[in-house]
Amino acid sequence: MVRLKKMNGTESELMKRMDEINEKVRTYNAICPTKMQRREIEWESFEIQYEKWK
């Protein structure tokens, strides 16, 4: 997503990708203990979240 934003991807492309990622996060969270769960990606802070997840 960060790469897509830097390549001037449209907001709709970014939102679609964010929805796909959040679906994977929800699936992951459903099978993980609470301490290992991740927050869903938010538009306002996805670059900051990216840095934390690397």
Side-chain angles (χ1 to χ4, degrees), residues 1-50:
M1 260 184 68
V2 173
R3 233 181 277 142
L4 186 59
K5 184 176 181 185
K6 287 181 181 177
M7 292 172 30
N8 295 323
T10 65
E11 187 172 331
S12 63
E13 289 175 318
L14 291 168
M15 295 301 285
K16 181 180 181 238
R17 184 66 182 132
M18 188 169 21
D19 289 340
E20 292 169 357
I21 293 169
N22 283 334
E23 183 60 38
K24 290 180 182 184
V25 170
R26 284 188 287 276
T27 301
Y28 173 83
N29 286 345
I31 61 174
C32 284
T34 305
K35 288 186 176 185
M36 296 177 66
Q37 292 183 1
R38 300 282 187 162
R39 292 181 58 194
E40 290 187 14
I41 303 289
E42 298 170 351
W43 178 255
E44 298 80 22
S45 61
F46 75 85
E47 290 176 333
I48 295 168
Q49 290 170 307
Y50 172 77

